[in-house]
Amino acid sequence: MAAPGCATALAAVTRERNYERRPASMDHFRVENLSISFGGLKAVSNVSFSVDRNSIFSIIGPNGSGKTTIFNMISGIYKPDQGRVICDGENMVGLTPDRIARKGIARTFQNIELFSNATVMDNLMLGRHIHMKTGVFTGAFMWGPRSKAAREEVKNREIVERIIDFLDLQSIRDSFVANLPYGKRKLVELGRALAMEPKILLLDEPSAGMNTEEKEDLNIWIKDIQDDYKVTILLIEHDMNMIMGISDRIFAMSQGEKIIEGTPAEVQSHPEVIRAYLGEER
Ligand code: ADP
Ligand code: MG
């Protein structure tokens, strides 16, 4: 898949070659010494981790431990007091959320952010807007079927149709988001993030509010996204079965700080994780 916003094809080739020579974890995505305070509260302290290309990297921790704040710093909503977010060699800190999205970092939110008075299809097409060279408004005034805007529109529709099939949204494609159950809306939000064709996908509690069946489906979809869309997935989740089954690596935190980072087996058996997190009733 083309990496959005990542310069020329030549640069991409060069990057791939470098990537082959160096350890993937150092090249692809990492955060270094991220810290942020709100008033007197240190919400995130000195957090560093690196994520392998096309892996699933999960962040766990009790409520209020700073997980969403890390996503907010990665996606440019908050500017860290200290630290760097490196994506394919480039520091994202200081860029606007829109620029960061164009660099290929897409996300879903803990509290869904969709246009509820628009249809599922409209919301998915909005995910394409970052790639529309002709702009949303020019796109609306297409001049003839051969125009650049018309060709772009066809391509965007193809990508969105594939997502509709992939996430099984066919039966609700023309439904207004406001009329959908919560679990379905979460899925639409995931679809919109996918429509951006990201190289990094940040999912903030995607299974929250889903029933058991929806959770099982989501589990499969996340694996399929990893395989079919070749994206790197950063996942915040409370569902421990899902986390332990799906993650390549897990970063466990408490009160803004790292407890341990490791494989599911390593994290699961860490006494502080058991005390700080797994002991908590969810
Ligand atoms: P988590 O996602 O792990 O539940 P958050 O990252 O949402 O936790 O929050 C971490 C801490 O930072 C909490 O104490 C929260 O109240 C605080 N926090 C997050 N965003 C803000 C903000 N914009 N203003 C003040 N405090 C905030
Ligand atoms: Mg959160």
Side-chain angles (χ1 to χ4, degrees), residues 62-69 110 204-205 236 238:
N63 283 329
S65 58
K67 305 180 298 295
T68 298
T69 303
Q110 189 168 353
D204 196 347
E205 299 197 25
I236 296 173
H238 278 298

Side-chain angles (χ1 to χ4, degrees), residues 12-280:
V13 169
T14 315
R15 214 175 33 246
E16 281 306 315
R17 284 197 187 130
N18 288 341
Y19 167 60
E20 278 165 20
R21 271 189 245 119
R22 290 188 225 151
S25 59
M26 299 315 289
D27 247 354
H28 181 45
F29 183 82
R30 66 180 189 274
V31 306
E32 289 174 357
N33 305 111
L34 276 188
S35 298
I36 192 168
S37 295
F38 299 107
L41 174 91
K42 208 145 200 219
V44 173
S45 298
N46 236 2
V47 161
S48 302
F49 56 76
S50 63
V51 183
D52 282 348
R53 195 180 296 271
N54 200 207
S55 67
I56 298 179
F57 185 94
S58 296
I59 303 177
I60 63 168
N63 283 329
S65 58
K67 305 180 298 295
T68 298
T69 303
I70 291 177
F71 274 14
N72 284 335
M73 290 189 283
I74 292 172
S75 55
I77 293 171
Y78 297 159
K79 187 162 188 278
D81 299 335
Q82 173 200 300
R84 305 198 304 163
V85 175
I86 307 291
C87 180
D88 286 333
E90 194 179 346
N91 189 7
M92 300 289 120
V93 171
L95 303 184
T96 61
D98 192 52
R99 284 279 292 158
I100 292 173
R102 280 168 208 271
K103 297 278 180 192
I105 301 180
R107 74 176 287 183
T108 66
F109 291 85
Q110 189 168 353
N111 304 306
I112 303 170
E113 295 198 9
L114 289 169
F115 290 93
S116 51
N117 290 323
T119 65
V120 168
M121 186 69 185
D122 290 339
N123 272 279
L124 295 183
M125 283 301 283
L126 273 169
R128 295 297 308 153
H129 93 270
I130 62 161
H131 295 300
M132 289 186 193
K133 293 184 187 64
T134 43
V136 176
F137 293 106
T138 4
F141 299 104
M142 292 184 286
W143 290 343
R146 287 170 190 280
S147 71
K148 201 173 163 218
R151 285 200 308 274
E152 252 189 23
E153 176 78 3
V154 168
K155 187 185 159 229
N156 287 330
R157 289 210 168 255
E158 278 170 9
I159 289 165
V160 165
E161 289 296 345
R162 187 180 159 215
I163 290 165
I164 285 178
D165 278 344
F166 181 71
L167 294 179
D168 207 7
L169 298 172
Q170 207 54 265
S171 63
I172 55 162
R173 57 183 292 142
D174 297 320
S175 304
F176 284 90
V177 164
N179 298 334
L180 296 175
Y182 188 80
K184 283 276 184 270
R185 277 186 272 154
K186 291 223 72 133
L187 213 50
V188 175
E189 207 198 12
L190 174 60
R192 187 183 56 184
L194 269 186
M196 294 163 73
E197 293 190 300
K199 46 185 183 177
I200 314 270
L201 182 59
L202 311 177
L203 303 177
D204 196 347
E205 299 197 25
S207 85
M210 288 189 172
N211 62 37
T212 312
E213 197 187 327
E214 286 171 330
K215 275 187 189 179
E216 281 166 10
D217 284 347
L218 179 70
N219 215 340
I220 295 164
W221 275 315
I222 291 176
K223 279 307 248 182
D224 283 352
I225 289 168
Q226 181 188 26
D227 293 341
D228 291 13
Y229 284 80
K230 300 286 175 239
V231 305
T232 303
I233 298 172
L234 270 68
L235 176 66
I236 296 173
E237 249 305 325
H238 278 298
D239 187 308
M240 275 302 129
N241 285 331
M242 184 187 217
I243 283 285
M244 293 302 164
I246 210 173
S247 310
D248 294 301
R249 295 190 72 79
I250 299 172
F251 181 94
M253 62 188 297
S254 174
Q255 298 182 2
E257 292 180 19
K258 170 179 165 180
I259 298 174
I260 180 185
E261 193 227 308
T263 62
E266 285 164 352
V267 170
Q268 207 166 11
S269 57
H270 192 282
E272 212 179 320
V273 172
I274 295 166
R275 196 168 54 245
Y277 191 64
L278 297 172
E280 194 191 56

